[in-house]
Amino acid sequence: MIDFGTADLAALVSAGMAVSFLLADPRTPTSRALSVALLAAAASIYLNTTFIKGVPPGELPWFAGFLALAEVVGFIAVYQWMLYLRETIPAENLRTTFGDNMLRVAQFLVLVYGVECLVWPDLRAEYFQNALGAPGGGKAYQFYLFAIPLELSMLLATLSAVLLLNRRPDLAERRRLIAVCLATPMMSAGLILPDGLAALVTVLGEMVLLIGAIQYHVSQGQRNQFLGRFLSPQVESLVRRQGLARAMKQDTREIAVICCDIRGFTTLSGKLHSSETLQMLSEFYAAIGDVTTEFGATIKDYAGDGVLILLGAPIRVEDATAQAARLAARLHVAVAPVLARWERDEAPLGFGVGVSSGPVTVGVIGGARLEYVAVGQTVNLAARLCDCAEPGETLIDDATARVVSEELPVHAREPLDIKGFAEPVSHYALAV
C-alpha cells in the first residue's frame, strides 16, 4: 500500500489545480503561466520531500542541487503571469515600464537563487529547507544566503502588483491578482516551515489561489458568452490575449465595410411557413459566417436578410481593402447554393453586396448591455451601395476601386446622391 504523507497530498492538490486551470483556459498565456507555476510547485514539493528530506547534507545525491530548478521555474512562471497580465490592462497615460522592470529583476533574483542551490546544495538542505523547524533555524548566515534573493523577488513582485492595481483592472482580474499575491508567499513558506506546518500553509495558499481563480473563470465565462453573441472567434482570441478593455477600446481606424442582403426575401417569406423562413435564414447566416471567419472579418449586425461585416476591426487586417473585395466575391459563391435551394418560380432570389473603405470609429458602448459599434460615413456608404446593387452584383466605392482595380475588373457607374455627402459619390461595379 502506498504511504501518502501530507506533503504528497499538497503536491497532488497543486498538480490537480494546474491541470484544471489549463483545461479551463488552454489558449490564454496567463492561464498557461499559472498552470506551469502550479506544476512546478507540485514537482518541488514531491522532489524535495522524496530525495532530500531526512538525508544528511553530506550524503545528498549528486543531483540534489538540480531539484531546486522546480522552485525556480515556479517563481519565474508566476512573475511571467504578472507580466502577461500587465499587458492586458490599459495603462492610459501611466508609465508601465517601471513595474515591468521590477518583475524582470524579480525573475533575475530567482535565477540567482537557483545558481546558489546548484553551487551549494548541502547548505540549502542543512540551513534553508525546513529551517524554521530546527533549533536556532533561520538565524545562520547561510539561511539568508538563499532567503534574501527569494524575499527580494517577492517584494518586487508585490510592489509591481500594487502598481498594476492602480491601473484599476476589472473586478475579476483584481481578485485573481490579489489571490496570487497572497498565495505565493504562503506556498513559498513551505520551503522553510516545519514539515507538518509547511504542508498546511501550502494547501491554504492553494485554496486562496483557487478561490481567486474560480471567481475569475466565472466572470470570464460570462464575458465570453456575451462576446460570442456578436464577435468572431478571432475577436474572442484577441480579448483573451489583451483583455476586454484594451481590445474593445474606442478607436478610429481605416477599415473596409461590407454590407449584403437578399433580393426578393420579403416576397419569398410571404410564401413560406415561419419555421421555413427561419431555417433559410439560418443557412444563409451560416454561409456568411463561414466566409467571414475565413477572412478574419467580424459580423457586426444581422438585420433580417441583411448582414453588416467589418474587415479590420476589432481585429486589424493587413490589406483590408483588397481583402474586402475578395471576401465579397466569396460571399456570392457561398450564398448562391442556399438561395437556389430556397427560391421559388414566383419568388426568385438574388444577392447584392456593397463595399466601402475609409475611417470608421469603432468600440464598445452601452450601460447594462454592451454593444460593439461602428460609426462613420464609410458604414453608411456601404449600406447605400448594397441597396443600389443589382442581384449578383457588388458595388464598391472609389477608395476600394483604387486599390483593387489592377487586380480585378471594375466598371464605373453614375455617381450617387447620398444623404450626408456634399457631392455625388463615385462608385463602381466589381466583376465577380
Side-chain angles (χ1 to χ4, degrees):
M1 181 176 181
I2 299 175
D3 182 19
F4 282 105
T6 53
D8 298 311
L9 292 175
L12 282 175
V13 171
S14 185
M17 289 174 59
V19 174
S20 298
F21 286 6
L22 190 61
L23 292 177
D25 195 13
R27 292 176 292 176
T28 306
T30 52
S31 293
R32 290 199 298 266
L34 273 184
S35 296
V36 170
L38 285 166
L39 281 175
S44 174
I45 296 170
Y46 176 76
L47 293 174
N48 285 315
T49 55
T50 300
F51 295 100
I52 295 181
K53 179 182 176 182
V55 179
E59 300 177 14
L60 291 174
W62 63 269
F63 53 82
F66 290 94
L67 300 182
L69 294 181
E71 299 155 26
V72 173
V73 170
F75 277 105
I76 289 178
V78 169
Y79 301 154
Q80 188 62 42
W81 170 79
M82 295 181 68
L83 282 168
Y84 286 144
L85 183 58
R86 292 178 65 84
E87 293 175 0
T88 68
I89 299 175
E92 302 299 339
N93 296 322
L94 299 175
R95 297 183 63 182
T96 63
T97 55
F98 184 62
D100 294 342
N101 290 335
M102 282 198 294
L103 286 172
R104 294 188 178 97
V105 172
Q107 290 178 323
F108 173 77
L109 289 170
V110 174
L111 291 176
V112 170
Y113 166 78
V115 171
E116 291 175 344
C117 293
L118 289 174
V119 176
W120 300 297
D122 290 340
L123 295 181
R124 171 177 175 262
E126 183 175 1
Y127 293 101
F128 183 69
Q129 285 192 286
N130 304 118
L132 299 186
K139 296 181 179 179
Y141 76 89
Q142 293 94 335
F143 170 81
Y144 294 102
L145 180 69
F146 299 94
I148 287 176
L150 287 185
E151 291 178 358
L152 283 178
S153 74
M154 286 188 285
L155 176 62
L156 289 173
T158 301
L159 292 175
S160 179
V162 171
L163 293 176
L164 183 57
L165 289 172
N166 188 48
R167 286 156 60 177
R168 296 183 179 180
D170 63 42
L171 183 60
E173 290 286 15
R174 188 159 60 246
R175 287 174 174 171
R176 187 167 70 156
L177 178 61
I178 293 173
V180 171
C181 290
L182 292 175
T184 299
M186 294 174 70
M187 296 174 67
S188 303
L191 293 171
I192 60 175
L193 290 173
D195 290 338
L197 185 58
L200 175 61
V201 173
T202 298
V203 171
L204 287 176
E206 291 170 345
M207 294 304 99
V208 170
L209 180 57
L210 182 60
I211 291 171
I214 289 175
Q215 292 179 325
Y216 168 79
H217 285 295
V218 168
S219 176
Q220 191 77 353
Q222 294 171 341
R223 176 184 299 170
N224 291 341
Q225 184 179 20
F226 158 70
L227 292 174
R229 294 177 181 174
F230 65 96
L231 296 180
S232 69
Q234 292 88 351
V235 179
E236 181 184 357
S237 175
L238 179 66
V239 172
R240 285 177 178 272
R241 295 193 308 269
Q242 297 187 358
L244 179 62
R246 183 175 177 183
M248 298 294 125
K249 186 177 180 180
Q250 290 188 15
D251 182 25
T252 299
R253 64 178 69 171
E254 296 281 333
I255 71 170
V257 181
I258 304 97
C259 188
C260 59
D261 67 11
I262 301 173
R263 305 294 188 263
F265 174 77
T266 302
T267 301
L268 177 65
S269 61
K271 300 180 180 297
L272 298 177
H273 189 274
S274 58
S275 61
E276 293 179 307
T277 302
L278 289 177
Q279 178 61 33
M280 175 192 170
L281 286 176
S282 178
E283 294 179 13
F284 172 67
Y285 292 155
I288 298 290
D290 289 342
V291 176
T292 56
T293 299
E294 176 186 342
F295 281 83
T298 297
I299 294 177
K300 164 63 186 72
D301 281 320
Y302 294 104
D305 62 314
V307 181
L308 179 63
I309 302 168
L310 307 180
L311 192 58
I315 302 293
R316 294 186 182 275
V317 175
E318 293 293 330
D319 198 18
T321 300
Q323 288 284 69
R326 302 183 190 108
L327 189 154
R330 286 283 294 118
L331 287 176
H332 284 280
V333 174
V335 167
V338 177
L339 302 187
R341 187 160 52 248
W342 285 97
E343 69 178 349
R344 304 290 187 267
D345 291 339
E346 66 277 19
L349 298 176
F351 183 67
V353 181
V355 179
S356 64
S357 304
V360 173
T361 299
V362 293
V364 171
I365 63 172
R369 185 180 185 278
L370 301 179
E371 183 177 357
Y372 189 72
V373 298
V375 179
Q377 287 188 324
T378 303
V379 180
N380 299 333
L381 180 55
R384 185 70 178 98
L385 292 175
C386 178
D387 291 340
C388 296
E390 297 294 330
E393 189 175 52
T394 296
L395 296 183
I396 61 177
D397 68 339
D398 189 61
T400 305
R402 287 197 300 269
V403 173
V404 305
S405 58
E406 294 184 4
E407 177 184 349
L408 300 170
V410 297
H411 308 287
R413 295 292 180 84
E414 288 295 323
L416 294 173
D417 291 321
I418 299 178
K419 184 178 180 180
F421 291 81
E423 301 291 335
V425 178
S426 300
H427 72 293
Y428 304 79
L430 178 66
V432 297

